[in-house]
Amino acid sequence: MKKVTNLSKATELVKTSIDARMPKSYILAKLVEELGVTRSNAFVYFTKATKALDISITVEKGATKEVKAAAKAAEFFAKTEAKKSITELTATKRKSKVAEIDAVIDGLRKTGAAVSPFAALGV
């Protein structure tokens, strides 16, 4: 039984991706995803796989611009969705946060502390 290594997986993935005329950036992204490695390690596997296959990636072997644009759009939307889940607040939570901040500021004012960063300037 032959052990399946990351290099053998990378070689197969690179071969099928080149046959499908995928761009290099897509191939690297797939290597990161499939092998569970960093982008720099994926580049190393990509280089070793292309040497093992005795091929080189040139501009004419890449995919058309429409595929690249679609891949970039999908990447952008994935990042946008990830940001939404972190930064969105409900209206009630937003009100409670503002009230909490106001309470802290009122408490500071009662103790005589400078609340504004411009307070030292006399503003």
Side-chain angles (χ1 to χ4, degrees), residues 43-112:
F43 183 76
V44 171
Y45 281 117
F46 174 80
T47 304
K48 287 183 178 182
T50 55
K51 284 183 181 180
L53 294 170
D54 196 30
I55 57 173
S56 64
I57 304 296
T58 58
V59 174
E60 59 270 1
K61 287 187 180 179
T64 60
K65 289 184 179 181
E66 290 77 23
V67 173
K68 287 183 182 179
K72 285 186 178 184
E75 181 180 324
F76 171 76
F77 287 121
K79 286 180 181 177
T80 305
E81 289 301 315
K83 286 181 182 178
K84 278 184 182 178
S85 64
I86 294 170
T87 58
E88 281 187 7
L89 291 176
T90 62
T92 55
K93 188 159 188 148
R94 185 174 292 128
K95 286 180 184 178
S96 69
K97 288 286 185 186
V98 170
E100 183 180 327
I101 292 169
D102 287 341
V104 169
I105 291 173
D106 288 338
L108 288 172
R109 284 191 177 136
K110 288 179 183 175
T111 63

